[in-house]
Amino acid sequence: MRLLFLGDMVGKTGRTAVWDRLPGLISDLRLDFVIVNGENAAGGFGITEDIFLETINAGADVVTTGNHVWDQKEAVVFAGRHDQFLRPANYPQGTPGRGSGLFYARNGARVLVANVMGRVFMHPELDDPFKSAEVILDACPLKEQADAIIFDFHAEATSEKQCFGHFVDGRASFVVGTHTHVPTADAQILNGGTAYMSDAGMCGDYDSSLGMDKEEPLNRFISKMPKGRMEAASGPATICGVGVEISDATGLAEKIAPLRLGPRLAETVPEFWR
């Protein structure tokens, strides 16, 4: 199975770049399943229902989120209406929406996708992500109820992300980090066969501060005083993500490599998809 994960869409430039390029990527790379993190898609803060639906219409099979999931108040309402919209699974019981789901890939495979949020340097501090993952894996084990299992681990600390990867190694197909908006260079297959990357990066303008117009965050670092609102940068976007090939026989990863398309970072498409 060929799976593509795209990192956090940031603002209009990030989401429109994904909408424009994703249909062609699905066709050209013969993708079976696509996951997109959309928690910063609405001006850099949260996601609206229209943006979610447009991302699904562009070809995404699932849209994950993170700590900004409720920044747009309408998300509290529409979260429960769409199975393909995931918020972190370790929110307390009774939180709107769902944190995981079982979906069907284009090749017929059953794909469990779970969105979990870390706790180190994160706000709000949610329930234990490791315990939440254990519950999810116990309910839908790899190669029993699911042919592939993917975790979007939305977290700040790479140590927490790496430990989570080792925790589910051999029990999940792929663990990918989101939240920091900077792609890491550690795409690898762990000892037990789980593909791992600490952060997929963002889909947004990299002439920025994490996808936001750089002037206001720079001012705040220097003066310690806000001058205005944070605004999403509006320059040309670079799409960042990661591609994984998953064995139909074992549900574990066989290949992993980053994907980057755009003007600021060196472009790369996984060699095994060329």
Side-chain angles (χ1 to χ4, degrees):
M1 183 177 74
R2 292 184 169 195
L3 180 140
L4 177 66
F5 183 96
L6 296 182
D8 313 42
M9 295 188 296
V10 182
K12 183 177 181 179
T13 188
R15 66 180 188 254
T16 55
V18 170
W19 297 344
D20 290 345
R21 297 294 297 270
L22 187 53
L25 289 172
I26 292 171
S27 175
D28 295 344
L29 303 180
R30 303 187 303 281
L31 300 175
D32 296 307
F33 202 80
V34 176
I35 305 167
V36 180
N37 187 293
E39 72 143 10
N40 300 117
F45 301 98
I47 184 170
T48 66
E49 187 170 24
D50 285 346
I51 292 172
F52 162 74
L53 291 172
E54 193 71 32
T55 306
I56 295 296
N57 290 337
D61 295 286
V62 178
V63 174
T64 55
T65 56
N67 60 304
H68 288 291
V69 60
W70 310 124
D71 282 8
Q72 301 295 321
K73 292 183 179 179
E74 67 179 87
V76 176
V77 178
F78 79 75
R81 288 203 289 257
H82 303 288
D83 290 346
Q84 294 164 285
F85 180 81
L86 300 183
R87 46 82 175 159
N90 50 331
Y91 265 98
Q93 188 173 2
T95 302
R98 60 197 308 210
S100 63
L102 191 64
F103 308 93
Y104 284 92
R106 293 167 185 81
N107 66 344
R110 301 163 299 171
V111 184
L112 174 65
V113 182
N115 193 182
V116 181
M117 196 165 99
R119 298 200 291 184
V120 179
F121 308 129
M122 296 294 289
H123 180 79
E125 185 173 311
L126 303 185
D127 297 340
D128 185 341
F130 294 85
K131 289 183 179 179
S132 295
E134 196 70 67
V135 170
I136 291 167
L137 291 170
D138 285 347
C140 192
L142 185 63
K143 297 311 295 180
E144 293 183 25
Q145 279 78 38
D147 299 305
I149 297 176
I150 291 83
F151 281 94
D152 174 350
F153 193 75
H154 195 80
E156 184 75 35
T158 51
S159 58
E160 188 180 22
K161 293 178 179 182
Q162 289 174 343
C163 284
F164 184 86
H166 294 303
F167 179 69
V168 302
D169 186 20
R171 299 186 291 163
S173 311
F174 179 33
V175 172
V176 60
T178 54
H179 179 66
T180 69
H181 295 197
V182 178
T184 55
D186 62 340
Q188 60 183 294
I189 297 177
L190 303 177
N191 293 340
T194 297
Y196 173 85
M197 186 171 177
S198 289
D199 205 287
M202 70 173 180
C203 299
D205 179 7
Y206 276 82
D207 184 18
S208 67
S209 175
L210 306 182
M212 308 304 287
D213 185 277
K214 57 195 174 189
E215 295 306 322
E216 180 57 20
L218 180 59
N219 162 69
R220 294 186 189 189
F221 277 116
I222 295 171
S223 71
K224 310 302 180 185
M225 294 287 291
K227 286 185 178 178
R229 295 179 58 192
M230 296 279 197
E231 302 283 351
S234 58
T238 296
I239 293 174
C240 282
V242 57
V244 179
E245 283 201 2
I246 298 169
S247 168
D248 295 332
T250 66
L252 297 173
E254 296 180 324
K255 300 174 183 177
I256 179 173
L259 178 142
R260 292 172 197 147
L261 300 170
R264 302 293 299 191
L265 307 183
E267 290 202 354
T268 178
V269 174
E271 287 294 329
F272 48 84
W273 286 350
R274 289 188 184 274

